Amino acid sequence: MASAAEQLAANMNIGAFAKATELHKRIWFTLGALIVYRIGTFIPIPGIDPAAFAQAFEGQSQGILGMFNMFSGGAVERMAIFALNVMPYISASIIVQLLGTIYPPWEKLRKEGGEAGRKTLNQYTRYLTVVLAVFQSFGIASALSAQPGLVTSAGPFFIISTVVTLTGGTMFLMWLGEQMTSRGVGNGVSLIIFAGIVAGLPGGILRLFNLGATGGIPTIAVLLIAAIAVAVVVAIVFMERSQRRLLVQYPKRQQGNRMFGGDTSFLPLKINTAGVIPPIFASSLLLLPTTVMGFLATADLPEWAQWLPTAAAQLQNGQPLFMVMYGALIVFFCFFYTSVVFNPEDTAENLRKYGGFLPGIRPGKRTAEYLDFVLTRLTVIGAAYITAVCLLPEALISFYNVPFYLGGTSILIVVSVTMDTVTQIQSHLLAHQYEGLIKKSKLRGSRRS
């Protein structure tokens, strides 16, 4: 027997979508916000020579700047006002969440603070975003000023204006992402990164075919990359929709002359509970130290720091050290973010509170231990899948010098965010249908009375 939610989901069609006016407003708001974001990626910061910067960027397009450019929707290669994108905000979120698990006052806020505690931590995240954005934008401004020909009038005024512009751009995107989450279809920050990658996909595919046509890479390599991209999409869809369903039973209970309960349901545990967060977090965390080392490598370094240029070169995309650190960070954030979003003890307590239990498992502590046992093994599979999807195509792409937009990380983000967005739209549509049913039942009740 299908549940009410499943019956409603089966009845969702174009007619139901046409009646959901609130959903229309959310979709239009999201599209408008993304258009504003895309316009901002074409507005350069003041004082930059666009032609000279484009020529200088060309030599670094396959390094860490190329990956940064992919996440920013091409804003880096144009040195636009949104060049930092939301990466400082993501880095700040990582730091606050990490401290929320090891720093007692913040851990108390996260666990016991409720809505007020969550708002306080969000405020700390915003403050830290400003600090990181100022730090990164100052490094960018200093590096640009040190390169001859890139800046029309280098000096303190250029550095201050660049810091203000880039920091303001990041804070605006952070606010825009929050608005898209609350007033749009959800996943605001993820949609901003998604829009940047999708905007560069057609150009990346065209460059791939041009390389094959001009002999830059063998034709068989083009076909191999296309086949791998299709296989990666299929694997992502399969794994993201896979879940372990744990049977939950509710005992029968009698109230007066009536019997209640006796139902069964399922507790779904996704193989990849963390979603697309691990590669985004790992990329953001790698961009921060590599950017710093890249700036230091261009300076006159003392003898004891001469190893920095070598270290910066090894952290470029496609290098063994980069691949090892990227994979290790992905695995770490898979387990870390899963522990943040799913608490076995809270889930076990909620099941016990409402009378539910897992067959053969004692309620309470034993249920929490079993949930943790199952979730840990699912996360091992999910972490291995995400690491393989992100690293294997990246290695092939770095070998053949193919654009980043066709890498596993970009495909994972695009497919996962698309699936999450469709799910959000279905949720809003389902809520609209529930409201319609409630109104009809109330209207029938009033007519009978």
Side-chain angles (χ1 to χ4, degrees):
M1 180 84 180
S3 65
E6 290 172 339
Q7 292 176 0
L8 282 175
N11 293 328
M12 286 193 296
N13 50 36
I14 300 298
F17 177 79
K19 296 177 182 178
T21 55
E22 178 65 24
L23 179 59
H24 298 168
K25 294 178 182 179
R26 289 181 175 273
I27 293 176
W28 282 115
F29 181 85
T30 301
L31 291 176
L34 292 178
I35 290 173
V36 171
Y37 160 65
R38 289 302 300 157
I39 291 174
T41 60
F42 288 90
I43 303 175
I45 62 175
I48 292 289
D49 186 342
F53 181 81
Q55 185 177 1
F57 178 82
E58 189 66 27
Q60 303 291 329
S61 60
Q62 288 301 116
I64 198 72
L65 285 180
M67 178 178 283
F68 204 177
N69 185 59
M70 177 190 73
F71 286 125
S72 66
V76 172
E77 65 179 324
R78 294 182 285 270
M79 195 43 64
I81 59 176
F82 291 159
L84 288 181
N85 205 262
V86 291
M87 289 306 172
Y89 176 68
I90 294 174
S91 300
S93 299
I94 298 170
I95 296 172
V96 171
Q97 288 184 6
L98 283 172
L99 289 176
T101 60
I102 60 176
Y103 183 54
W106 287 13
E107 184 178 11
K108 186 176 180 181
L109 276 176
R110 184 174 65 87
K111 291 183 176 180
E112 305 174 8
E115 183 67 18
R118 187 183 64 83
K119 289 182 178 180
T120 302
L121 291 177
N122 287 342
Q123 198 65 22
Y124 292 158
T125 303
R126 295 186 184 101
Y127 294 150
L128 187 57
T129 300
V130 175
V131 174
L132 293 177
V134 169
F135 172 74
Q136 290 183 331
S137 57
F138 178 79
I140 291 173
S142 301
L144 291 174
S145 299
Q147 299 295 323
L150 294 185
V151 180
T152 55
S153 57
F157 180 76
F158 170 77
I159 292 178
I160 293 173
S161 64
T162 301
V163 169
V164 171
T165 302
L166 293 180
T167 303
T170 295
M171 299 309 295
F172 176 78
L173 287 182
M174 182 188 70
W175 173 83
L176 191 65
E178 292 176 351
Q179 294 300 310
M180 290 167 64
T181 300
S182 60
R183 300 175 60 185
V185 295
N187 300 325
V189 173
S190 297
L191 279 174
I192 288 175
I193 298 176
F194 164 86
I197 296 174
V198 168
L201 270 177
I205 295 173
L206 182 62
R207 286 196 293 273
L208 174 63
F209 286 118
N210 286 338
L211 286 172
T214 57
I217 59 176
T219 304
I220 187 66
V222 176
L223 298 177
L224 181 61
I225 291 172
I228 289 177
V230 174
V232 167
V233 171
V234 173
I236 291 170
V237 173
F238 176 78
M239 295 297 289
E240 291 297 325
R241 294 186 66 86
S242 300
Q243 56 183 222
R244 171 77 182 276
R245 303 178 73 187
L246 299 179
L247 180 65
V248 179
Q249 292 184 341
Y250 294 90
K252 291 183 179 180
R253 65 184 188 276
Q254 184 172 357
Q255 291 184 358
N257 295 326
R258 301 183 62 182
M259 294 292 296
F260 294 91
D263 296 331
T264 61
S265 63
F266 292 95
L267 176 65
L269 299 179
K270 292 184 63 177
I271 290 181
N272 178 27
T273 306
V276 75
I277 295 298
I280 294 179
F281 275 18
S283 301
S284 176
L285 213 58
L286 274 177
L287 286 172
L288 191 60
T290 51
T291 302
V292 174
M293 282 195 284
F295 294 148
L296 293 177
T298 60
D300 295 330
L301 299 174
E303 186 176 351
W304 60 269
Q306 293 298 319
W307 57 273
L308 281 175
T310 305
Q314 287 299 315
L315 282 173
Q316 294 296 317
N317 188 270
Q319 296 297 321
L321 181 59
F322 173 85
M323 304 291 273
V324 170
M325 291 187 64
Y326 190 36
L329 285 173
I330 288 175
V331 172
F332 169 75
F333 281 117
C334 280
F335 283 92
F336 171 74
Y337 200 74
T338 298
S339 67
V340 171
V341 300
F342 187 92
N343 190 323
E345 294 180 358
D346 290 346
T347 304
E349 179 62 24
N350 289 333
L351 286 176
R352 188 192 62 79
K353 185 184 300 182
Y354 292 102
F357 64 94
L358 304 179
I361 308 296
R362 186 173 298 175
K365 183 179 179 181
R366 291 298 302 274
T367 298
E369 292 175 351
Y370 180 74
L371 290 176
D372 184 64
F373 173 84
V374 173
L375 191 64
T376 300
R377 279 146 185 78
L378 290 178
T379 307
V380 169
I381 300 174
Y385 135 72
I386 294 182
T387 304
V389 163
C390 290
L391 290 188
L392 293 180
E394 298 289 346
L396 184 65
I397 282 175
S398 62
F399 181 78
Y400 286 111
N401 202 27
V402 175
F404 286 102
Y405 296 95
L406 302 176
T409 304
S410 59
I411 295 176
L412 175 66
I413 293 173
V414 169
V415 176
S416 299
V417 174
T418 300
M419 294 175 63
D420 289 343
T421 304
V422 171
T423 302
Q424 292 280 353
I425 292 175
Q426 289 178 338
S427 299
H428 287 296
L429 189 56
L430 198 62
H432 171 75
Q433 289 190 296
Y434 267 124
E435 291 176 0
L437 288 177
I438 292 174
K439 289 180 181 178
K440 287 182 181 179
S441 63
K442 288 182 177 179
L443 183 60
R444 290 172 183 172
S446 62
R447 286 177 178 176
R448 289 175 183 173
S449 60

